[in-house]
Structures are given as structure tokens and as C-alpha cells.
């Protein structure tokens, strides 16, 4: 009897959890594109999310192949978009690290890389 009750409840819990997760701000696309190769260092990096972002608690860093910060430190948020200016930092693998707070007060974070060079 107890087993039957649990079996009935679990799908409902999963459904609720999935519904909530869908409201989080997930990375939709980026420029430079995730995993892509560009010939020269970009002047800025821009990320687009699936939800509107809260300016105060959303940030973005960019590091070059040597692990040095090459972003200017001040991210700009507009709607579901966050961007930051980038200083020239040579060739190789650049890493973008993001932490954002969406309008539904949920935090998400992640990182991705892109390549600079020929
Ligand atoms: Cu959420």
C-alpha cells in the first residue's frame, strides 16, 4: 500500500522539479560561439540566456590561455544578455566563466571555452 502511494507521488515531484528548472536562466548562445575558433581576440564577449538577468548579481570573467584575466571587470547586463569588454590577450584557449541570477531569483553558473588564433 505504501509502495503504491510513493509510486503515485514520485512522478508528480519529478514533474514539479522539471517545471521549476525550466525557469532558470540557462545559457542560450554566446559570441564568440561556445567552442568556436576566431582569428583575433574579440573586443567583447556576449552571452544570451533563456531568462532575464538581475544586474546586481550577474557576472562574467574571461581568461586567456595563460589563465590571466583579460576582461575589463565590469559586465553589462541588458534583459537576458550580459557582455563584457576584453583586452587583447594573445592566442590560444580563452575561458569564459559566468554566474547569473535570473529574475526568478535562481542562480546558475557555468563556463565554456573558445579558441583564438589561426
Ligand atoms: Cu529558476
Amino acid at each position: 500500500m505504501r509502495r503504491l502511494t510513493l509510486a503515485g507521488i514520485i512522478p508528480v515531484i519529478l514533474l514539479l522539479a522539471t517545471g521549476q528548472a525550466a525557469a532558470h536562466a540557462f545559457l542560450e548562445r554566446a559570441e564568440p560561439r561556445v567552442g568556436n575558433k576566431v582569428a583575433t581576440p574579440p573586443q567583447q564577449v556576449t552571452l544570451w540566456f533563456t531568462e532575464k538577468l538581475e544586474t546586481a548579481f550577474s557576472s562574467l570573467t574571461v581568461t586567456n590561455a595563460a589563465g590571466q584575466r583579460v576582461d575589463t571587470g565590469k559586465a553589462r547586463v541588458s534583459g537576458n544578455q550580459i557582455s563584457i569588454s576584453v583586452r587583447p590577450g594573445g592566442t590560444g584557449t580563452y575561458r569564459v566563466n559566468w554566474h547569473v541570477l535570473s529574475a526568478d531569483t535562481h542562480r546558475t553558473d557555468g563556463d565554456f571555452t573558445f579558441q583564438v588564433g589561426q
Side-chain angles (χ1 to χ4, degrees), residues 20-25 51 102 104-108:
Q20 268 205 332
H24 290 21
E51 301 291 325
S102 49
D104 68 0
T105 73
H106 293 143
R107 286 172 186 280
T108 51

mmCIF file of all heavy atoms in Angstrom, residues 20-25 51 102 104-108, ligand 1:
data_model
loop_
_atom_site.group_PDB
_atom_site.id
_atom_site.type_symbol
_atom_site.label_atom_id
_atom_site.label_comp_id
_atom_site.label_asym_id
_atom_site.label_seq_id
_atom_site.Cartn_x
_atom_site.Cartn_y
_atom_site.Cartn_z
ATOM 1 N N GLN A 20 10.173 23.761 -12.577
ATOM 2 C CA GLN A 20 10.953 24.820 -11.949
ATOM 3 C C GLN A 20 12.272 25.035 -12.680
ATOM 4 O O GLN A 20 12.672 26.155 -12.906
ATOM 5 C CB GLN A 20 11.255 24.438 -10.501
ATOM 6 C CG GLN A 20 10.207 24.961 -9.537
ATOM 7 C CD GLN A 20 10.785 25.133 -8.155
ATOM 8 O OE1 GLN A 20 11.723 24.436 -7.798
ATOM 9 N NE2 GLN A 20 10.234 26.032 -7.399
ATOM 10 N N ALA A 21 12.935 23.931 -13.024
ATOM 11 C CA ALA A 21 14.232 24.028 -13.679
ATOM 12 C C ALA A 21 14.118 24.790 -14.993
ATOM 13 O O ALA A 21 15.016 25.514 -15.377
ATOM 14 C CB ALA A 21 14.818 22.642 -13.919
ATOM 15 N N ALA A 22 13.001 24.653 -15.649
ATOM 16 C CA ALA A 22 12.805 25.299 -16.944
ATOM 17 C C ALA A 22 12.794 26.820 -16.814
ATOM 18 O O ALA A 22 13.009 27.518 -17.787
ATOM 19 C CB ALA A 22 11.514 24.809 -17.577
ATOM 20 N N ALA A 23 12.568 27.320 -15.597
ATOM 21 C CA ALA A 23 12.501 28.769 -15.405
ATOM 22 C C ALA A 23 13.873 29.380 -15.122
ATOM 23 O O ALA A 23 14.008 30.585 -15.119
ATOM 24 C CB ALA A 23 11.556 29.090 -14.264
ATOM 25 N N HIS A 24 14.887 28.558 -14.878
ATOM 26 C CA HIS A 24 16.221 29.077 -14.602
ATOM 27 C C HIS A 24 16.804 29.720 -15.852
ATOM 28 O O HIS A 24 16.392 29.419 -16.963
ATOM 29 C CB HIS A 24 17.168 27.946 -14.178
ATOM 30 C CG HIS A 24 16.859 27.384 -12.834
ATOM 31 N ND1 HIS A 24 15.652 27.502 -12.235
ATOM 32 C CD2 HIS A 24 17.625 26.671 -11.991
ATOM 33 C CE1 HIS A 24 15.682 26.897 -11.067
ATOM 34 N NE2 HIS A 24 16.872 26.382 -10.892
ATOM 35 N N ALA A 25 17.802 30.583 -15.606
ATOM 36 C CA ALA A 25 18.493 31.197 -16.736
ATOM 37 C C ALA A 25 19.584 30.265 -17.240
ATOM 38 O O ALA A 25 20.589 30.069 -16.575
ATOM 39 C CB ALA A 25 19.096 32.536 -16.316
ATOM 40 N N GLU A 51 16.448 33.489 -19.752
ATOM 41 C CA GLU A 51 15.611 34.308 -18.857
ATOM 42 C C GLU A 51 16.244 35.679 -18.688
ATOM 43 O O GLU A 51 17.445 35.846 -18.900
ATOM 44 C CB GLU A 51 15.507 33.657 -17.469
ATOM 45 C CG GLU A 51 14.914 32.272 -17.454
ATOM 46 C CD GLU A 51 13.440 32.256 -17.796
ATOM 47 O OE1 GLU A 51 12.731 33.217 -17.411
ATOM 48 O OE2 GLU A 51 13.009 31.305 -18.452
ATOM 49 N N SER A 102 18.812 34.972 -12.216
ATOM 50 C CA SER A 102 17.701 35.295 -13.110
ATOM 51 C C SER A 102 16.588 35.991 -12.332
ATOM 52 O O SER A 102 16.600 36.034 -11.105
ATOM 53 C CB SER A 102 17.186 34.040 -13.797
ATOM 54 O OG SER A 102 16.971 33.006 -12.873
ATOM 55 N N ASP A 104 13.798 35.112 -11.600
ATOM 56 C CA ASP A 104 13.069 34.233 -10.671
ATOM 57 C C ASP A 104 13.884 33.940 -9.406
ATOM 58 O O ASP A 104 13.546 33.057 -8.641
ATOM 59 C CB ASP A 104 12.638 32.937 -11.367
ATOM 60 C CG ASP A 104 13.815 32.044 -11.743
ATOM 61 O OD1 ASP A 104 14.971 32.419 -11.460
ATOM 62 O OD2 ASP A 104 13.580 30.978 -12.311
ATOM 63 N N THR A 105 14.987 34.678 -9.206
ATOM 64 C CA THR A 105 15.883 34.606 -8.041
ATOM 65 C C THR A 105 16.711 33.321 -7.967
ATOM 66 O O THR A 105 17.301 33.021 -6.941
ATOM 67 C CB THR A 105 15.150 34.800 -6.674
ATOM 68 O OG1 THR A 105 14.385 33.623 -6.395
ATOM 69 C CG2 THR A 105 14.265 36.014 -6.688
ATOM 70 N N HIS A 106 16.801 32.583 -9.050
ATOM 71 C CA HIS A 106 17.634 31.382 -9.058
ATOM 72 C C HIS A 106 18.995 31.695 -9.665
ATOM 73 O O HIS A 106 19.089 32.408 -10.653
ATOM 74 C CB HIS A 106 16.962 30.264 -9.863
ATOM 75 C CG HIS A 106 15.719 29.754 -9.209
ATOM 76 N ND1 HIS A 106 14.599 29.379 -9.910
ATOM 77 C CD2 HIS A 106 15.424 29.565 -7.898
ATOM 78 C CE1 HIS A 106 13.671 28.981 -9.059
ATOM 79 N NE2 HIS A 106 14.150 29.087 -7.837
ATOM 80 N N ARG A 107 20.027 31.123 -9.039
ATOM 81 C CA ARG A 107 21.386 31.318 -9.531
ATOM 82 C C ARG A 107 21.799 30.154 -10.416
ATOM 83 O O ARG A 107 21.540 28.999 -10.082
ATOM 84 C CB ARG A 107 22.377 31.374 -8.368
ATOM 85 C CG ARG A 107 22.318 32.639 -7.588
ATOM 86 C CD ARG A 107 23.188 32.530 -6.354
ATOM 87 N NE ARG A 107 23.015 33.710 -5.519
ATOM 88 C CZ ARG A 107 23.615 34.866 -5.761
ATOM 89 N NH1 ARG A 107 24.444 34.990 -6.771
ATOM 90 N NH2 ARG A 107 23.401 35.916 -4.989
ATOM 91 N N THR A 108 22.464 30.446 -11.501
ATOM 92 C CA THR A 108 23.080 29.397 -12.306
ATOM 93 C C THR A 108 24.477 29.876 -12.682
ATOM 94 O O THR A 108 24.755 31.080 -12.679
ATOM 95 C CB THR A 108 22.277 29.072 -13.596
ATOM 96 O OG1 THR A 108 22.013 30.272 -14.288
ATOM 97 C CG2 THR A 108 20.967 28.379 -13.280
HETATM 98 CU CU1 LIG B 1 14.865 29.308 -11.850
#
